[in-house]
Amino acid sequence: MSKLKIAIQKAGRLHNDSLKILSDVGISIDNGKDQLKASARNFPLEIFYLRNGDIPQYLQDGIVDAAIIGENILIENGGNSSIVERLGFSSCKVSVAVPKSTKYTGIEYLQGKRIATSYPNTVSEFLKKNNIQSNLHVINGSVEIAPNIGLADAIVDIVSSGSTLFKNGLKEVQVLLKSEAVLAVSSRISEENQLILNKLHFRFQSVLKGRQSKYILLNAPNDKLERIIDILPGMKSPTILPLAKEGWSSLHSVIHRNEFWEIIDELKQNGAEGILVCPIENMVL
């Protein structure tokens, strides 16, 4: 039986988040210490643990069928691999940073400047788009030190919290792109393995929908139902059940997590009581 080959980061935050989403979709992995390849017990899947920077080449060559990878790495080195789904974790930015004392006037500041980066393709494309000519110094690791040792006037690197920049006397001044983990697919995937990937993708979508949503139950007087239904449209419409207490009903619905507190406040103002909110593990539509 054919198995889908999927690559994930060998170590780091993306590694842990990748294993978590695979666990959340019900995939059990036989993974011993220091293994570079492991099989799933209950799904036709083989996992390859690779260096983040090596994954795009494995995708291009068809050695793996798919990968969970940072979008920034795929854009820099991805070739003809395509994104199937954005996964909503391991968010970061690829940004320009300069010494704190520098007066940054906009992207024109970069004209003729020396830029140190680990993302030459991304930076070159950005500069070309903005008609800026700069001198690139490609550095693998410790890019932040370049301005301090006189190697560069600016850097372009990954920014998460910004603490590393601060410690090295730098400030973020321009965002080139925003990135998150994505499920990517090789252009060389077989038809058989594409079907397996479709099943995995469906599971991912169900988990992601659940992570983005909350299940809400509340009690409300019947004369307030119409207004509360307007607040709580749900996936199609709320479920309404009569309560033993005359003139009252129970409503069940789903709300987006980003709208949670605003909706709760509005529900209370319009007569809702006994509001119960529960996390959703999976949501199959």
Side-chain angles (χ1 to χ4, degrees):
M1 181 180 179
S2 180
K3 288 187 177 183
L4 180 74
K5 297 179 177 65
I6 187 169
I8 69 171
Q9 189 182 55
K10 183 179 178 181
R13 186 179 63 159
L14 185 54
H15 168 87
N16 295 331
D17 288 340
S18 300
L19 289 179
K20 185 176 189 311
I21 195 170
L22 288 170
S23 174
D24 288 347
V25 300
I27 294 176
S28 300
I29 302 164
D30 290 320
N31 183 30
K33 186 178 180 181
D34 297 328
Q35 276 186 280
L36 298 180
K37 187 174 77 169
S39 296
R41 290 195 296 272
N42 55 352
F43 194 83
L45 184 72
E46 279 188 331
I47 298 175
F48 288 65
Y49 300 99
L50 304 173
R51 286 177 65 256
N52 214 26
D54 292 338
I55 292 176
Q57 192 63 53
Y58 276 66
L59 280 169
Q60 289 180 51
D61 294 343
I63 296 172
V64 297
D65 303 302
I68 299 176
I69 185 174
E71 185 177 6
N72 57 298
I73 299 295
L74 195 67
I75 289 172
E76 176 67 21
N77 303 300
N80 55 2
S81 302
S82 57
I83 294 173
V84 177
E85 185 74 45
R86 286 176 167 79
L87 301 177
F89 55 80
S90 296
S91 298
C92 65
K93 296 172 287 183
V94 177
S95 298
V96 179
V98 297
K100 291 178 184 177
S101 59
T102 298
K103 185 178 179 181
Y104 185 76
T105 55
I107 56 176
E108 63 273 10
Y109 166 83
L110 300 174
Q111 183 72 40
K113 296 294 193 297
R114 300 166 299 163
I115 303 174
T117 186
S118 300
Y119 297 90
N121 295 330
T122 301
V123 177
S124 294
E125 184 65 28
F126 171 78
L127 295 174
K128 181 180 178 182
K129 181 179 178 181
N130 289 281
N131 296 315
I132 300 291
Q133 293 185 344
S134 302
N135 299 312
L136 295 189
H137 294 271
V138 181
I139 300 176
N140 294 318
S142 302
V143 175
E144 298 86 357
I145 198 173
N148 293 329
I149 61 176
L151 181 63
D153 304 296
I155 70 166
V156 174
D157 200 21
I158 286 291
V159 177
S160 294
S161 67
S163 61
T164 302
L165 294 181
F166 180 80
K167 292 174 183 176
N168 286 277
L170 303 174
K171 61 182 179 181
E172 180 184 13
V173 293
Q174 182 95 35
V175 177
L176 272 64
L177 66 89
K178 294 182 178 180
S179 173
E180 62 183 283
V182 297
L183 176 64
V185 61
S186 169
S187 62
R188 300 191 178 191
I189 189 171
S190 67
E191 290 186 15
E192 188 175 7
N193 284 353
Q194 181 64 58
L195 294 175
I196 300 173
L197 179 63
N198 292 345
K199 292 180 180 179
L200 181 65
H201 182 205
F202 173 76
R203 294 192 186 189
F204 277 8
Q205 287 181 314
S206 298
V207 167
L208 294 173
K209 290 281 187 183
R211 289 180 180 179
Q212 295 165 3
S213 307
K214 291 181 179 292
Y215 189 74
I216 185 169
L217 303 87
L218 59 90
N219 299 329
N222 290 342
D223 60 357
K224 300 287 184 68
L225 284 180
E226 186 173 344
R227 173 57 187 145
I228 289 177
I229 289 172
D230 287 340
I231 300 169
L232 276 180
M235 290 177 285
K236 290 185 179 177
S237 63
T239 300
I240 303 174
L241 301 171
L243 293 178
K245 183 178 179 179
E246 188 174 348
W248 283 72
S249 295
S250 173
L251 280 76
H252 300 215
S253 190
V254 173
I255 59 177
H256 196 282
R257 66 179 184 182
N258 293 339
E259 303 170 342
F260 171 69
W261 288 112
E262 291 80 4
I263 289 178
I264 293 297
D265 290 340
E266 196 171 356
L267 289 172
K268 289 179 66 179
Q269 292 168 10
N270 285 274
E273 297 181 6
I275 301 172
L276 178 63
V277 180
C278 306
I280 299 174
E281 187 171 330
N282 296 308
M283 195 161 79
V284 180
L285 300 178

